[in-house]
């Protein structure tokens, strides 16, 4: 009997244990935890990470002579026409930021949505944004990973092959053609995305405006393909106003990388160039009052205080090129300034502030490209009308940085009357205005300068340059990329040319 009782107790214990095990898995799952991430949130991360890195202040802006630093070391680059590599050099910032974040996020979303009929609009929005991102990368470096890019954590490919820039551009045209046409307002519109809030007509106009840019980029290397691409873009429907601008809306949580640099460690180290300021002054351009500021009489960085601020256009003095930290003090004295801290800077309380938007593709740029297309006979319409619309749009766009930066309609009219479009100088006028309208979009202003040859800049006279030509033609591949993907990088170099600042990208033909 005692044995039977013991067996019954043991059986009861097993039943109890079995009963306790029922629902064990459920008890160990947090009912409020996220088990899957809506891909639109990943897409938003990609959009935010498209804002240009602060390295554009080291390379692109000095190359096109808009902003400049006389300092060497970590700030050396376009200011002295030298490379600046190293494992985390400024030549790597765009590469690392885009491939590590932007491209990786975009490829992930494409992988999640490609077979989901309910997310077809999201899928095609991502294709358009991916085309933009890869255009920035290939324009900056030349041949890059494209077809195998972003597959490291999806397919385990950590050594992607490099595609030729020509093949990349051919695919960009295909992607933009297909994705722009496939967007459909009758399907779920993805109101949660932060670029256009799911507005399908604006997404379509973005896709076709980007296609216009792609087409115009090919004007020297393949005019036939350039013309057909431009015509396809115009037929699809490009931007109609500044409301269509493709822009990253930086805020207190996702600050503008350029603004962060200009308001912290390098606040006193970057200046508007003499060429840029003098051009705006010579044409009485009202945008100078929106862009520039002088801390009059400042003898040091700490003396650049609000009490010294003067935004009067007539007193702005841009820093001349060709000087370094050792030689600029004497030049500043010759210019009758208190020190080099007295030269004009980008106003970091307005256009250069922490929350300043980052413009990617704009109505102003689009109208100016249409003006050039009209000059070339690739589209209908009057080049002068497109030109005037582009200039006007950029002046109005400045009000988006700060209400006090807006150029009034009266000042716009005065400027256009005093600086009319002249057909005999059409390409120069159009692309010089594109240079101004693309200010703070480092990759684009650098690319269009190489493509068009305008504005006609005098080469930086700094004596210590590393380049053989007059201007830097591309960014070099980062050392970190070479260390982890050397075989594929070497293949690209053998095909494209030496990995230096002189080698031209495919579309940049002399």
């Amino acid at each position: 009997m005692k044995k039977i009782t013991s067996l019954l107790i043991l059986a009861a214990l097993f039943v109890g244990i079995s009963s306790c095990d029922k629902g064990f898995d459920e008890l160990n799952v947090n009912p409020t935890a996220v088990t899957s991430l809506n891909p639109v949130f990943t897409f938003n991360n990609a959009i935010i990470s498209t804002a240009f890195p602060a390295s554009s202040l080291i390379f692109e802006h000095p190359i096109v002579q808009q902003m400049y630093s006389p300092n060497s070391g970590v700030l050396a680059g376009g200011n002295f026409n030298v490379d600046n590599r190293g494992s985390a050099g400024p030549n790597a910032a765009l590469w690392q930021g885009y491939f590590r974040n932007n491209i990786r996020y975009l490829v992930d979303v494409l992988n999640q949505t490609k077979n989901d009929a309910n997310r077809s609009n999201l899928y095609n929005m991502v294709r358009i944004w991916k085309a933009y991102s890869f255009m920035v990368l290939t324009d900056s470096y030349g041949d890059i990973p494209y077809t195998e890019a972003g597959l490291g954590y999806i397919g385990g490919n950590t050594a992607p092959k490099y595609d030729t820039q020509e093949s990349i551009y051919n695919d960009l045209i295909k992607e933009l053609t297909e994705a722009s046409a496939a967007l459909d307002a009758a399907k779920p519109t993805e109101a949660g995305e932060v670029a256009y809030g799911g507005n399908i007509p604006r997404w379509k106009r973005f896709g076709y405006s980007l296609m216009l840019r792609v087409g115009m980029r090919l004007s020297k290397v393949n005019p036939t393909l350039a013309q057909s691409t431009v015509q396809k873009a115009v037929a699809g429907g490009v931007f109609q106003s500044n409301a269509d601008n493709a822009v990253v809306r930086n805020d207190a949580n996702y600050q503008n990388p350029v603004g962060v640099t200009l308001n912290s460690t390098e606040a006193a180290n970057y200046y508007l160039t003499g060429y840029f300021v003098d051009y705006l002054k010579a044409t009485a351009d009202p945008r100078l009052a929106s862009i520039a500021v002088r801390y009059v009489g400042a003898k040091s960085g700490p003396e650049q205080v609000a009490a010294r601020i003067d935004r009067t256009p007539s007193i702005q003095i841009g820093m001349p090129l060709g000087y370094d930290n050792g030689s600029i003090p004497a030049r500043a004295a010759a210019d009758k300034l208190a020190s080099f801290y007295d030269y004009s800077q980008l106003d970091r309380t307005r256009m250069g502030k922490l929350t300043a938007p980052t413009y990617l593709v704009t109505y102003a740029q689009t109208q100016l490209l249409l003006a050039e297309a009209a000059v070339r006979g690739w589209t209908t319409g009057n080049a002068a009308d497109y030109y005037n619309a582009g200039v006007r749009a950029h002046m109005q766009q400045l009000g988006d940085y700060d209400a006090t930066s807006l150029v009034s309609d009266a000042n716009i009219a005065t400027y256009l009357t005093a600086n009319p479009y002249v057909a005999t100088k059409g390409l120069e006028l159009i692309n010089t205005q594109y240079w101004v309208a693309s200010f703070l979009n480092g990759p684009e202003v650098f690319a269009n300068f190489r493509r068009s040859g305008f504005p006609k800049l005098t080469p930086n006279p700094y004596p210590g340059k590393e380049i053989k030509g007059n201007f830097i033609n591309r960014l070099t591949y980062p050392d970190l990329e070479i260390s982890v993907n050397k075989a594929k990088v070497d293949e690209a170099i053998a095909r494209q040319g030496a990995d230096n600042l002189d080698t031209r990208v495919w579309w940049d033909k002399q």
Side-chain angles (χ1 to χ4, degrees):
M1 181 68 179
K2 192 173 183 179
K3 184 176 181 182
I4 294 173
T5 302
S6 297
L7 290 172
L8 289 172
I9 293 171
L10 185 60
L13 287 172
F14 276 116
V15 171
I17 292 171
S18 177
S19 298
C20 289
D21 190 53
K22 290 180 180 179
F24 183 79
D25 291 339
E26 290 81 356
L27 287 172
N28 283 275
V29 174
N30 182 350
T32 63
V34 176
T35 57
S36 64
L37 182 66
N38 187 332
V40 77
F41 298 143
T42 305
F43 182 34
N44 286 341
N45 279 333
I47 292 171
I48 292 166
S49 65
T50 313
F52 312 122
S55 63
S56 63
L57 293 167
I58 295 176
F59 277 105
E60 290 95 328
H61 292 299
I63 293 170
V64 299
Q65 300 182 11
Q66 290 180 329
M67 279 194 285
Y68 170 83
S69 174
N71 294 341
S72 57
V74 296
L75 301 188
N79 54 350
F80 304 142
N81 281 322
V82 298
D83 205 350
N84 194 335
R85 303 175 73 127
S87 59
N91 73 316
L94 182 66
W95 182 284
Q96 294 293 91
Y98 269 46
F99 275 116
R100 183 180 295 166
N101 298 316
N102 181 287
I103 299 301
R104 181 168 63 93
Y105 293 143
L106 294 172
V107 170
D108 179 39
V109 178
L110 289 176
N111 185 58
Q112 292 184 59
T113 58
K114 61 184 178 182
N115 297 317
D116 187 346
N118 291 322
R119 309 306 291 269
S120 64
N121 276 326
L122 178 58
Y123 176 71
N124 288 296
M125 291 170 185
V126 174
R127 292 172 76 185
I128 292 171
W129 205 273
K130 179 169 167 275
Y132 172 81
S133 301
F134 271 114
M135 186 177 181
V136 170
L137 284 166
T138 189
D139 288 348
S140 299
Y141 297 95
D143 292 2
I144 57 170
Y146 180 71
T147 54
E148 296 181 359
L151 298 177
Y153 78 108
I154 292 177
N157 185 351
T158 58
K161 71 173 184 178
Y162 278 55
D163 296 272
T164 66
Q165 186 174 61
E166 181 177 10
S167 68
I168 292 170
Y169 259 81
N170 288 337
D171 198 65
L172 294 181
I173 294 170
K174 179 190 77 68
E175 285 292 285
L176 291 170
T177 299
E178 294 177 358
S180 301
L183 290 166
D184 186 351
K187 298 178 180 178
T189 57
E190 305 294 346
E193 56 83 9
V194 297
Y196 291 107
N199 187 306
I200 298 302
R202 286 182 176 172
W203 267 104
K204 281 181 171 286
R205 291 194 284 270
F206 173 38
Y208 288 118
S209 297
L210 181 57
M211 186 188 297
L212 172 65
R213 178 182 287 185
V214 169
M216 293 304 297
R217 198 78 92 228
L218 306 181
S219 60
K220 289 193 297 186
V221 71
N222 191 338
T224 301
L225 180 58
Q227 179 177 356
S228 64
T229 304
V230 166
Q231 291 172 341
K232 187 185 300 183
V234 172
V238 296
F239 286 162
Q240 298 177 355
S241 71
N242 277 332
D244 292 331
N245 288 339
V247 56
V248 178
R249 294 289 175 187
N250 302 298
D251 59 23
N253 294 315
Y254 302 99
Q255 296 177 340
N256 185 312
V258 171
V260 170
T261 293
L262 294 179
N263 283 279
S264 55
T265 57
E266 309 302 337
N269 291 328
Y270 280 101
Y271 295 82
L272 297 175
T273 70
Y275 185 88
F276 189 55
V277 171
D278 290 348
Y279 174 79
L280 296 176
K281 289 176 72 171
T283 56
D285 195 318
R287 285 172 287 194
L288 185 58
S290 302
I291 294 171
V293 64
R294 262 187 71 199
Y295 292 89
V296 179
K299 298 183 180 65
S300 66
E303 288 191 13
Q304 290 183 339
V305 294
R308 295 184 181 275
I309 286 178
D310 195 329
R311 299 184 177 93
T312 307
S314 61
I315 65 102
Q316 301 305 319
I317 303 174
M319 181 178 284
L321 301 179
Y323 298 89
D324 58 23
N325 195 260
S327 57
I328 193 63
R331 177 57 196 262
D335 287 336
K336 296 181 172 49
L337 300 178
S339 72
F340 76 79
Y341 299 99
D342 199 357
Y343 282 110
S344 296
Q345 294 181 293
L346 172 67
D347 189 342
R348 54 184 180 265
T349 69
R350 296 187 295 167
M351 287 184 71
K353 63 187 177 184
L354 297 173
T355 57
T358 300
Y359 284 95
L360 309 178
V361 182
T362 68
Y363 173 62
Q365 293 168 329
T366 300
Q367 289 295 297
L368 291 168
L369 290 180
L370 287 173
E372 180 176 343
V375 170
R376 294 179 181 277
W378 294 351
T379 190
T380 58
N382 185 283
D385 292 339
Y386 289 130
Y387 173 87
N388 289 336
V391 174
R392 181 180 298 106
H394 184 246
M395 291 186 177
Q396 293 171 337
Q397 177 189 316
L398 295 181
D400 198 24
Y401 291 100
D402 191 272
T404 62
S405 298
L406 177 67
V407 179
S408 70
D409 290 342
N411 284 340
I412 294 173
T414 298
Y415 176 81
L416 290 174
T417 299
N419 300 276
Y421 176 78
V422 179
T424 55
K425 299 175 60 179
L427 292 180
E428 179 177 2
L429 288 172
I430 290 165
N431 285 287
T432 301
Q433 284 295 335
Y434 197 94
W435 173 68
V436 179
S438 299
F439 180 61
L440 293 181
N441 184 333
E444 180 58 20
V445 72
F446 177 40
N448 197 68
F449 169 65
R450 287 174 287 162
R451 178 193 71 87
S452 70
F454 298 112
K456 293 181 178 178
L457 302 175
T458 299
N460 182 342
Y462 189 75
K465 71 176 185 177
E466 294 177 355
I467 59 175
K468 296 177 181 177
N470 289 326
F471 296 94
I472 292 172
N473 292 324
R474 64 180 281 273
L475 302 185
T476 55
Y477 296 125
D479 283 354
L480 185 60
E481 170 66 8
I482 295 172
S483 69
V484 300
N485 197 14
K486 187 176 187 305
K488 303 297 175 58
V489 175
D490 287 345
E491 289 177 5
I493 293 171
R495 181 175 60 233
Q496 178 173 263
D499 185 26
N500 58 35
L501 303 175
D502 286 296
T503 294
R504 294 174 180 268
V505 300
W506 166 72
W507 52 252
D508 183 16
K509 300 301 180 184
Q510 291 177 297

